[in-house]
Amino acid sequence: MQKTNEEPKTVYDFSKMSREEIEQLCLKLATEKAQVEAERDWYLANLKLSNGRVFGKSSEANIPGQINFEDLGIFNEAEADRDPINIEPKLEPGSNSSDKKSAKKNSRRKNTKALEIERTDCILSGDVSERKCPECGGQLYAYDTRIVRLIETIPAKTFVHEYVVKEYRCEACGNIVDGDNTPVPVIERSCASAELIADIICKKYELAIPFDRLDHYNKQVGIPVTKNNMCNWTIKVAYDWLKLIRDRMCEIQYAGGVIHCDETHTQILSEEGKPAESKSYIWVTTTPTCYKDKPIALYNYTRTRSSSDAREVLKGYSGYIMCDGYQGYDALKKPKNGEDGMDVILVACLVHVRRKFVEALKLVKKNERAGTGANLAIAKLHDIFALDNKFNDMSIQERYEARQKYLKPHLDDFFEWVESEIEITLPKSKYGKALEYAYNQKEKVMNVLYDGRLEIENNMAERAVKPFVIGRKNWLFSESPAGAEASCICYSIVQTAKMNNLIPYHYITYLLKELPKLA
């Protein structure tokens, strides 16, 4: 007989129960039924939200001033761009147009050079007077010229550069002087050049290609560079040379007094005192949008997400921190282990507030959303974002004054409405939790009014996190804390170079050629 884990059903004999006992039993069963239904609704709501996060649209799709990537077809490009009317790229030589609109459009690509044009003349070989028409045998003569332009590419060329270094000895003291252009090795007693290491770093940290795939490619084309070589070289140059630049960028970023901060998890296989499957964290700090002349993105590895690790990452910093509602940031201001609290002012992200209401609205049927509180909250926040976007091109002082005059009343109205809604809403519902989150973030959201350099959203940091998240999906984990820290250094250099319109490969090559000369 098959055994089951089902509990036997209770059978009640109402004939032997008094009216009072029956009423108490009915009340008990009704309470249990309500609890089961509430638990069921909770699981269904979270399942729906989980499916929405995986398969649905981004909750920021309709925020003014933000790009809707789905509308661009980026994640559906093969199908979206398949069009019988194919617009080919223009292959004209570089334009010298003085058109202001064109100049403004191309200003973002001021470091991008036109493709080199290689010309081949397609003429008949031999004496033309002796060539006959293949159709009728008539005499051929020069008639016209047409241009056919094709984009051609040649895979990267890898070769061994052999430097023959002539040495010169001083007759007086015996000092040896090398000939001109003698290369200074990036790594002592290593065959790795600055160009090779820069290429490896960019392929992993810019294009998110794991070392395993690069190792496979090297074997295919006969390059004697293994995965172990690439790992060792990357860690070596990260700690010896690139860390110097990352530390200097940290000084510049922290001196600005305004940073955006976010964090994401990673996995370290060989981390002392922790199982391989446990989570470690990568913290990202960026400069605000207004620092257009020196944007910086920094990455830091920590073992945990605790306030102690946050304090270590932000050690020496004082000023504004734009962040989400994670309580670890709040703990920075409190004394700990005999140390005073950090001199920081937290500024909450209004996009995170909006996300909570979007999640609540997703649980309502589409034809019933119009009159809901979640829909009204999103509409109010939409107006706030649209209004603040009008101040983007102002100076810092003008932006501060405009926010005091125009934005503050909208924020006051929104939070007054939140407080009134909390009193009449079930606290454990998704809508109730959205209201509670907004209410708890009020003080930090209002801090945006203190300084014109501040933003009402944390998208700078969240955009900087995405390159790491994309890479993590490819290589899944780091072997050791040293590797994770080296990755953070490389990410800091690569992403900051991109933010400053530099080509990371050229920039890293330059650093690895020049820094060893200064040692």
Side-chain angles (χ1 to χ4, degrees):
M1 182 176 180
Q2 185 177 3
K3 295 183 179 180
T4 64
N5 294 325
E6 295 182 3
E7 296 182 359
K9 295 182 179 180
T10 304
V11 178
Y12 298 99
D13 187 355
F14 293 102
S15 62
K16 297 181 179 179
M17 299 174 66
S18 65
R19 179 183 180 86
E20 183 179 354
E21 290 175 335
I22 293 175
E23 289 178 351
Q24 291 178 351
L25 178 61
C26 289
L27 181 61
K28 176 186 174 184
L29 293 176
T31 302
E32 291 177 352
K33 178 176 179 292
Q35 291 175 343
V36 171
E37 289 179 346
E39 186 175 359
R40 179 204 62 192
D41 293 342
W42 185 88
Y43 280 112
L44 289 175
N46 280 275
L47 176 62
K48 187 173 182 179
L49 290 175
S50 177
N51 289 337
R53 282 190 287 268
V54 176
F55 305 109
K57 294 183 178 181
S58 169
S59 61
E60 279 78 46
N62 297 318
I63 294 180
Q66 293 198 6
I67 298 174
N68 185 350
F69 292 102
E70 294 183 4
D71 290 343
L72 296 179
I74 290 177
F75 301 108
N76 194 29
E77 59 181 358
E79 291 77 11
D81 293 340
R82 185 177 178 271
D83 195 326
I85 305 175
N86 185 20
I87 302 176
E88 289 286 334
K90 295 181 180 180
L91 304 182
E92 300 295 334
S95 173
N96 294 321
S97 172
S98 60
D99 181 66
K100 292 183 178 180
K101 184 176 180 181
S102 176
K104 183 177 181 181
K105 181 178 180 181
N106 293 328
S107 64
R108 300 176 184 175
R109 303 178 181 177
K110 57 186 176 182
N111 293 313
T112 302
K113 297 181 180 179
L115 291 174
E116 177 185 351
I117 296 179
E118 182 177 313
R119 176 163 294 178
T120 299
D121 293 325
C122 303
I123 60 176
L124 290 174
S125 59
D127 189 351
V128 178
S129 62
E130 297 179 0
R131 301 294 297 270
K132 303 298 182 181
C133 174
E135 294 291 333
C136 67
Q139 182 63 46
L140 297 176
Y141 66 95
Y143 165 66
D144 197 1
T145 300
R146 76 178 192 275
I147 304 296
V148 178
R149 290 190 174 94
L150 303 175
I151 298 178
E152 297 183 3
T153 184
I154 300 174
K157 180 181 178 181
T158 303
F159 60 96
V160 177
H161 194 158
E162 189 175 84
Y163 293 86
V164 181
V165 181
K166 190 71 174 180
E167 296 181 344
Y168 302 85
R169 183 184 293 273
C170 175
E171 293 181 354
C173 66
N175 182 42
I176 297 177
V177 178
D178 291 336
D180 294 340
N181 301 320
T182 300
V184 178
V186 182
I187 302 172
E188 287 292 337
R189 296 183 294 278
S190 172
C191 62
S193 67
E195 291 85 354
L196 176 60
I197 298 176
D199 181 63
I200 292 169
I201 290 175
C202 289
K203 282 178 178 175
K204 176 164 184 178
Y205 300 108
E206 184 182 11
L207 303 182
I209 303 176
F211 285 150
D212 285 316
R213 296 181 195 171
L214 293 177
D215 181 55
H216 180 68
Y217 171 77
N218 289 343
K219 290 177 181 177
Q220 280 186 327
V221 298
I223 300 174
V225 176
T226 66
K227 174 184 175 181
N228 184 259
N229 294 143
M230 292 184 283
C231 292
N232 290 338
W233 291 342
T234 300
I235 293 176
K236 181 68 174 173
V237 300
Y239 280 97
D240 286 356
W241 307 121
L242 300 183
K243 188 176 183 297
L244 301 172
I245 305 300
R246 201 276 296 270
D247 291 346
R248 178 56 184 151
M249 291 194 303
C250 184
E251 292 176 5
I252 296 172
Q253 186 189 77
Y254 283 12
V258 179
I259 62 171
H260 290 237
C261 193
D262 199 7
E263 71 286 336
T264 187
H265 65 86
T266 187
Q267 186 178 357
I268 313 296
L269 293 185
S270 303
E271 198 168 18
E272 186 178 355
K274 292 182 65 177
E277 64 274 10
S278 63
K279 290 182 179 180
S280 298
Y281 284 85
I282 302 297
W283 301 73
V284 181
T285 57
T286 68
T287 47
T289 307
C290 64
Y291 290 171
K292 298 178 182 178
D293 59 329
K294 49 182 178 184
I296 295 173
L298 300 178
Y299 298 73
N300 286 277
Y301 150 79
T302 62
R303 286 170 57 88
T304 70
R305 197 190 181 200
S306 68
S307 61
S308 298
D309 283 325
R311 188 184 295 262
E312 183 63 27
V313 169
L314 300 171
K315 187 176 182 179
Y317 175 74
S318 63
Y320 295 99
I321 300 178
M322 163 62 72
C323 56
D324 55 27
Y326 171 50
Q327 294 180 353
Y329 295 111
D330 296 280
L332 295 175
K333 303 170 69 174
K334 302 175 182 178
K336 187 171 185 179
N337 297 331
E339 296 182 3
D340 295 335
M342 294 181 63
D343 181 20
V344 296
I345 299 175
L346 304 182
V347 184
C349 174
L350 208 55
V351 172
H352 282 77
V353 174
R354 181 184 182 274
R355 286 175 188 167
K356 304 295 182 180
F357 289 107
V358 170
E359 290 182 354
L361 192 62
K362 287 179 180 179
L363 302 180
V364 181
K365 294 180 180 179
K366 290 185 178 181
N367 59 348
E368 298 176 359
R369 293 179 179 179
T372 62
N375 193 64
L376 178 58
I378 293 171
K380 286 178 176 290
L381 291 170
H382 184 280
D383 293 340
I384 291 173
F385 284 113
L387 177 61
D388 193 69
N389 283 339
K390 296 178 181 180
F391 311 146
N392 288 342
D393 295 330
M394 296 181 177
S395 67
I396 293 175
Q397 182 61 29
E398 290 173 340
R399 194 183 194 191
Y400 166 77
E401 295 173 356
R403 281 176 169 172
Q404 293 292 330
K405 184 176 181 180
Y406 301 108
L407 186 64
K408 186 177 184 300
H410 281 74
L411 291 174
D412 289 338
D413 172 71
F414 172 73
F415 284 109
E416 287 176 5
W417 173 82
V418 167
E419 292 176 14
S420 64
E421 282 289 292
I422 284 181
E423 297 178 358
I424 58 174
T425 304
L426 292 173
K428 292 188 177 181
S429 65
K430 278 292 179 182
Y431 178 54
K433 290 181 179 179
L435 290 169
E436 181 184 10
Y437 182 85
Y439 179 78
N440 291 337
Q441 297 300 304
K442 175 183 175 181
E443 180 181 349
K444 288 183 281 188
V445 169
M446 299 299 287
N447 286 342
V448 75
L449 301 171
Y450 289 161
D451 197 309
R453 297 173 297 171
L454 302 175
E455 307 290 338
I456 60 174
E457 39 76 18
N458 197 29
N459 288 340
M460 278 291 289
E462 293 193 354
R463 282 194 294 267
V465 165
K466 286 183 179 179
F468 179 86
V469 174
I470 292 172
R472 183 183 63 201
K473 290 180 179 179
N474 285 344
W475 59 72
L476 302 179
F477 52 79
S478 295
E479 293 286 346
S480 66
E485 180 60 29
S487 294
C488 287
I489 294 171
C490 293
Y491 268 118
S492 300
I493 300 296
V494 169
Q495 297 305 321
T496 300
K498 291 171 65 178
M499 292 168 69
N500 285 273
N501 297 317
L502 298 175
I503 299 175
Y505 169 76
H506 292 161
Y507 179 59
I508 295 173
T509 299
Y510 170 78
L511 292 178
L512 297 184
K513 280 180 174 293
E514 297 301 320
L515 290 175
K517 296 178 183 179
L518 304 176

